Amino acid sequence: MQPSLDALRDVLDSECLLTDADSLQQYGKDWTNQYTPTPLAIALPKSTEQVVSIVEWANDNSVAIVPSGGRTGLSGGAVATSGELVIALDKMNQVLSFEASTQQVTCQAGVITEQLQQYALDNELYYPVDFASSGSSQIGGNIATNAGGIKVIRYGLTRDWVMGLTVVTGKGEVLNLNAGLIKNATGYDLRHLFIGSEGTLGIITEATIKLTRQPTNLTVLLLAIPELDKVTSLLNAFQKEIDLTAFEFFSEEAMTKVMTHHELPRPVETQAPFYCLLEFDATSEDILEKALSCFESGLEEEYILDGVMSQSQQQADELWKYREYISETISARRPYKNDISVTPDKVSEFLSRVDAIVAKEYPEFEVIWFGHIGDGNLHLNILAPEEMDYAEFTQACEQVNPLIFDVLKELGGSISAEHGVGLLKKPYLNYSRSEAEISYMKGIKATFDPNNIMNPGKLF
Amino acid sequence: MQPSLDALRDVLDSECLLTDADSLQQYGKDWTNQYTPTPLAIALPKSTEQVVSIVEWANDNSVAIVPSGGRTGLSGGAVATSGELVIALDKMNQVLSFEASTQQVTCQAGVITEQLQQYALDNELYYPVDFASSGSSQIGGNIATNAGGIKVIRYGLTRDWVMGLTVVTGKGEVLNLNAGLIKNATGYDLRHLFIGSEGTLGIITEATIKLTRQPTNLTVLLLAIPELDKVTSLLNAFQKEIDLTAFEFFSEEAMTKVMTHHELPRPVETQAPFYCLLEFDATSEDILEKALSCFESGLEEEYILDGVMSQSQQQADELWKYREYISETISARRPYKNDISVTPDKVSEFLSRVDAIVAKEYPEFEVIWFGHIGDGNLHLNILAPEEMDYAEFTQACEQVNPLIFDVLKELGGSISAEHGVGLLKKPYLNYSRSEAEISYMKGIKATFDPNNIMNPGKLF
């Protein structure tokens, strides 16, 4: 028997509790798109207090909760497949305060990433965490998955920008964690525990985020690379001299697909098996000269075959397209995605070994490599032959996963670099975390959520 | 009855289990120096495996453990006052590996901070976490207290440099946490839970630490400031233009004491109630010009009275002495220390309000203010009149603590910015952390240390 929603109707405005089929469908899934949504209802609270009441109701009625942000996740962390109540933060989308002297902004969890980025620009500051889904993803969701993206090499992960959190735990208690303090040595930093917890400990309702100075002259180098082995040398050579803001990588297959799909010209004359896109802030002539000198050494020592450097912001944006358009270009083919990482020194070895596995196991599949190689994060996208049944294709990919993850385990890597675990990667968690670690994680969850109502079945 | 140490003698080499009175005295206390050490024995393990055996023995024999690093702590986090077994990491002091391409070094927890700093320099890199006790403090202890220090404004806390940890939990299980990965979204980041846990969850035995590029031209500005209210304007004006690596503050009382004690000349002609020391890396002429222009605006707008800028590394070192010598200068007077923080925008208000409390409550005591004002961290040092009994003085200070901490609580500050909680600040934890937070912390501790053998009585 379904629990009665009557008590919830007393808490929420009538337009804030949805049970129509369209809403259940819309709010019950994320971008993973592999699960059938079957939520009980959708709650759209307007305050932390309302979230508390909902969590209390859920505890009283033994209803599971799925916290829901922009639902741009790719691991099924925000899907409701088992009659859960979805708590969507869409109506908690206000910036609450801004303090210029500390460069800190406090906002509700439902603020869209792009909205925060724009707010920073309006205040002559910069929020540097950026990724493909920033137009839809919400700050609360970013924090719950510790979102990374394209600027991690210079600016770190979402974790590095969170100065305070307001959360409602699985017990329905409100915690104000750290409140913007830079130095605070008073016991366990529960803020860091909630960052990356995928909604399994509680719901993030507000966050205090640090902003920073804007870059002044972002400059892009697009380089053609002869072989995988050269990528690490390239990264080292540049990092020794300048602070890179991005170091991205993609294969000729990815390049060709983007050029065809978007009718773009080849950006460098020389065709090569791989390309790297480097970005840096050329705040002085000196930095520009150092970058050029690295480029010239690379040509001489033949770990660079060819390259082009942007002379304006517009040209920089043009060059970024070859990297940024990859995901969208191949999305119609519904690629099977693995988002994996190793430490950057092991990237070449890992790429070669996985490439060999993939070539052997998927001879008939197309493989599109790209990723944030500067931080060891690779996106392995497998494309099915056009005529192949999708379920059969997915199953084939899943059978190869253990081979890839065995290599990953041997190299001490991560089975999910920035997409989280959710439902999709749960079967593989033990490749990256030991049995003891998983057991401690479960103990922590039981402390914050003794009735196991917060996003149960996700993560572990 | 004391438990038999026989089983421990099978685990440890004979010179690694100490029970003589001198050793008990030496290893049983830290720099807090307010507690009488009464440890059961001192264990000096040489490997993570030996630490496991000791923790297993302690669980079997219901013996409490005090993990011990350089014992430079100021909150009694590493004192053994109740017959505990001290596990000192002194013999685990080796750098284990270094990877140039990732700039990561893996070392044992007993490596001294200065040793790591020197190791970085030898490899043309930089470990930027630095503080007064870096010649004695150990990496493991730094991590267990999330040590901060003088460069936090630019380089962050110890937390920001820890890429991986090996820990032995209170259950005696070894966890390898994160292993140097930059991106790893596979559940709760237990690494961050152990950072700042003050030895209450387990023992850190190894750490992977990130290094960074060396600064090239550190330049110091020492400025005379007319009043507290101007400090925030000063900080904002400089931070808008350049990346400061330090922004320190001290009072004329501190300045006078250092000049007298060390026979140093007055560094700027104008005597002022307060001084600020700014440091930045003048990597280009442009940055130097921006700093000079901020300085000139400050003189014009009268939030700076006078100032001097270093022209060489030697001059920079000379100017640092006026700030760095403060602690040592007053140490013979055994100051009563409060290490407190607020967000930087509230520093002026907090300073004024606490100054008023102190003037009213301690009319006969000398008050020495200094601190890392760029990150909101103030060190309030109270000096007793020379003839006063020390116990009476301490008691008087403790009676005023609640008045200061009430202001701190109202402003959302921290009762321990970087010294940790230990035994000394435990009575005040509830000024900075809610009852609910403390209860969750206890739940987490019970998960990692069900028999409560890890540093019991510390923190809460």
Side-chain angles (χ1 to χ4, degrees), chain A residues 334 365 384-397:
Chain A
R334 297 175 72 193
F365 299 168
E386 308 246 353
E387 70 286 358
M388 193 173 192
D389 173 70
Y390 192 70
E392 192 190 329
F393 165 66
T394 303
Q395 214 171 20
C397 290

Side-chain angles (χ1 to χ4, degrees), chain A residues 101 149 169 171 173 183-186 188 200 213 236 239 242-243 341 345 372 377 414 416 418 433 440, chain B residues 101-102 149 169 173 183-186 188 200-201 213 236 239 242 341 345 372 377 414 416 418 433 440:
Chain A
S101 71
T169 70
K171 280 169 131 172
E173 292 176 309
K183 283 184 177 173
N184 181 18
T186 55
Y188 314 152
T200 60
R213 190 167 325 117
N236 294 350
Q239 267 189 319
I242 58 175
D243 282 326
S341 77
D345 56 305
H372 320 290
N377 180 192
S414 174
S416 188
E418 56 178 1
R433 306 294 295 261
Y440 288 117
Chain B
S101 70
T102 57
T169 70
E173 292 177 309
K183 284 184 175 172
N184 182 17
T186 55
Y188 315 152
T200 60
L201 301 176
R213 193 171 320 120
N236 293 350
Q239 266 188 320
I242 58 174
S341 76
D345 55 308
H372 321 290
N377 180 193
S414 174
S416 189
E418 55 178 2
R433 306 294 295 260
Y440 288 117

Side-chain angles (χ1 to χ4, degrees), chain A residues 128-174:
Chain A
V129 181
D130 195 21
F131 35 79
S133 59
S134 60
S136 309
S137 75
Q138 295 177 4
I139 294 302
N142 297 353
I143 295 170
T145 53
N146 190 22
I150 53 179
K151 307 271 188 183
V152 170
I153 188 174
R154 169 74 176 84
Y155 292 105
L157 297 145
T158 298
R159 181 183 301 284
D160 300 300
W161 301 90
V162 177
M163 300 302 297
L165 285 182
T166 301
V167 304
V168 178
T169 70
K171 280 169 131 172
E173 292 176 309
V174 178

Side-chain angles (χ1 to χ4, degrees), chain A residues 22 52 64 70 81 88-89 130 136 166 178 206 233 249 256 268 271 292 356 368-369 379:
Chain A
D22 280 359
V52 170
T81 57
L89 279 292
D130 195 21
S136 309
T166 301
N178 200 59
E206 291 176 21
S233 315
F249 155 90
T256 312
V268 287
Q271 184 171 330
L292 272 173
I368 309 289
W369 279 109
H379 296 293

Side-chain angles (χ1 to χ4, degrees), chain B residues 326-346:
Chain B
I326 300 172
S327 262
E328 184 223 321
T329 298
I330 60 174
S331 68
R333 298 275 300 273
R334 297 176 72 193
Y336 187 87
K337 289 169 183 284
N338 263 315
D339 165 46
I340 47 195
S341 76
V342 291
T343 54
D345 55 308
K346 292 176 185 149

Side-chain angles (χ1 to χ4, degrees), chain A residues 324-358:
Chain A
E324 282 182 334
Y325 284 175
I326 299 172
S327 263
E328 184 222 322
T329 298
I330 60 175
S331 68
R333 298 276 299 274
R334 297 175 72 193
Y336 187 87
K337 289 170 183 284
N338 264 315
D339 165 44
I340 46 195
S341 77
V342 290
T343 53
D345 56 305
K346 293 177 185 150
V347 162
S348 294
E349 180 186 351
F350 180 63
L351 263 173
S352 309
R353 289 177 65 178
V354 173
D355 228 23
I357 292 172
V358 164

